[in-house]
Amino acid sequence: VGKPKFTTDRLYDSPPPGTVMGLAWTAMGGSSLYIEATVADRVKDGGSLKTTGQLGSVMKESSDIALTVAKGILRKTHPVDDVDADSDDATAQTGPHNFFNRHHVHVHVPEGATPKDGPSAGVTMVTSLLSLALDKPVKANVAMTGEVTLNGRVLPVGGIKEKTIAGKRSGVTTFIFPEANRKDVDDLPDYITEGLEIHFASEYEDVYKNAFEH
Amino acid sequence: VGKPKFTTDRLYDSPPPGTVMGLAWTAMGGSSLYIEATVADRVKDGGSLKTTGQLGSVMKESSDIALTVAKGILRKTHPVDDVDADSDDATAQTGPHNFFNRHHVHVHVPEGATPKDGPSAGVTMVTSLLSLALDKPVKANVAMTGEVTLNGRVLPVGGIKEKTIAGKRSGVTTFIFPEANRKDVDDLPDYITEGLEIHFASEYEDVYKNAFEH
Amino acid sequence: VGKPKFTTDRLYDSPPPGTVMGLAWTAMGGSSLYIEATVADRVKDGGSLKTTGQLGSVMKESSDIALTVAKGILRKTHPVDDVDADSDDATAQTGPHNFFNRHHVHVHVPEGATPKDGPSAGVTMVTSLLSLALDKPVKANVAMTGEVTLNGRVLPVGGIKEKTIAGKRSGVTTFIFPEANRKDVDDLPDYITEGLEIHFASEYEDVYKNAFEH
């Protein structure tokens, strides 16, 4: 996902709600990148998701998948008892479960001119959307990588070593990796992993638990 | 459909409603893959179907065909007596026969970066949509392959041998194949088919009978 | 339209309403194919037509033309006296003349992965749509070919010999050809036409008369 440019390596000391650091990897090495999700517009009904940042088709689909996953999680974590989708009750309509129906959301991945693609920002995008919907920033110095499926399963990605090194360089102290990449982390030399907090996720919920303060 | 990667060969021990294992085949050999159907949104009226997973044009059309077939089956299996489509009666509107009118459905085929195409996931897609609409998981360890026509006829597919081997490797014990592929199964050596339960389908209903517990 | 594959040459012994056998022709020879029209959804107002089967742009336009022709025929054959299109009278709204306004219709041409194009399925598509709207199957063992204009004129097509041979191979006993192809049929050797019932159509109405039982 683009060549590493140190200009984005540390854009935020504590990212606002909606912004989450991901980790990318190319033949040029690893790099950190931010997923920035913000509200473009509030609407009564029929929200949308727009993406920018020269995303390729896999990464665009990844943002669609992330949106569906995020919606599903919000419906689970913020159930609306005895409220029907048809209800006109204001609370029913404005709660987090309905956030993406009430907002046009814009997701950007700086730097804008660097083409990016691949599915490995999946968990980062879900986290970014949830952070925005819940108006809750992620922990400082956390970064993550992992493909996510529509049911929230976290699939392995490539470049664990390069991503870890790039993350450290950007001040990351807490990493969230796919469970299926545990062996790659175990293979890392101690001088790389020393002092790092590393979590593994097989379901998106494992990401959620470690990305936010509770 | 993509090279076999063991990481997704067995993503679910018991797939949730909406998720069904299919079987793919390329020059590289066979592989198992999951069709994941989930609800993206509930709506009052005018549902939709979105697909992701780098699907080619034939596979996208396949999902459209699957949707029409699934709707037709739900109208047959869950008829609404004395209810007109125009009725405002709640039961009439929220039953399974009206599921796809009341939900935006998202179908994803992991892994997200692997391009996939071809019509042979037809029966798997129909099953996935019905599983979601009926909130009913398929049997454990079942996998299927077959093109489906708009009237629910099941057409033969290629790669039966490779698909059987790939399915076994992923823990599949019950296979559903097109009736027109029976000869290909008969040609398989015993050491491959030993211990497997194999069903043949000429109509989608034959798939339905063997995919779900009754 | 695709290479002949005997697997679909005889998919239906008696096709359901909406399904009609057409005849295609390529450099590879003739083949029979099915046009399958089904109801995707019932709607109050504003039906639509969706096509699948890897149809090229000419064949897609052909389906649009077929829809307009079919609507015109239904308005003629099922006139609604003293009924305004705006009327709320149920019979007025649900009659055959209003079928395509009240239904989302899906037309598929198996096999799904075979690209198809050309205008010669025009009469078959009109027949398929009328069969669906009237809930009336066509005669058994009938097949047809012919381009249709917006006014219902039937234009000549190529490959009459190849199409006749392919149709016979699929069990067709009644053929409907464009009037302008009569000379091509006259040129066929007796051993091909022996025992066949062959009709010629210069207007779509000539097709209609011979495709359905009366």
Side-chain angles (χ1 to χ4, degrees), chain A residues 57-59 61-62 64-68 71-72 75 83-88 98 100-101 118-119 147-156 180 183, chain B residues 6-8 11-13 16-19 36-44 50-55 60 94 102 106-108 110-114:
Chain A
S57 66
V58 172
M59 201 161 175
E61 287 195 348
S62 203
D64 280 338
I65 295 162
L67 180 60
T68 300
K71 284 175 178 174
R75 273 195 301 266
V83 169
D84 193 73
D86 300 346
S87 161
D88 287 328
N98 205 28
F100 292 104
N101 189 39
E147 177 172 349
V148 72
T149 83
L150 210 48
N151 290 320
R153 306 305 301 241
V154 177
L155 302 185
K183 60 187 186 311
Chain B
F6 68 86
T7 54
T8 56
L11 207 50
Y12 300 97
D13 276 330
T19 296
E36 300 180 327
T38 67
V39 168
D41 281 298
R42 292 171 60 194
V43 285
K44 282 192 183 185
K50 175 209 291 275
T51 59
T52 52
Q54 294 294 296
L55 311 191
K60 272 190 189 154
T94 60
R102 302 272 296 187
H106 185 159
V107 170
H108 177 56
E111 304 178 0
T114 310

Side-chain angles (χ1 to χ4, degrees), chain C residues 48-119:
Chain C
S48 68
L49 179 68
K50 174 209 291 276
T51 58
T52 53
Q54 293 294 297
L55 310 191
S57 63
V58 173
M59 202 162 174
K60 271 190 190 154
E61 289 194 350
S62 200
S63 70
D64 280 339
I65 296 164
L67 179 60
T68 302
V69 172
K71 284 177 178 172
I73 290 169
L74 291 172
R75 273 194 303 267
K76 263 196 235 167
T77 57
H78 295 74
V80 182
D81 292 338
D82 301 321
V83 170
D84 192 72
D86 301 342
S87 160
D88 287 328
D89 182 57
T91 315
Q93 294 302 306
T94 59
H97 70 288
N98 204 27
F99 181 86
F100 292 104
N101 189 40
R102 301 271 297 185
H103 296 87
H104 292 312
V105 171
H106 185 159
V107 170
H108 177 57
V109 189
E111 302 177 1
T114 310
K116 304 162 195 83
D117 208 354

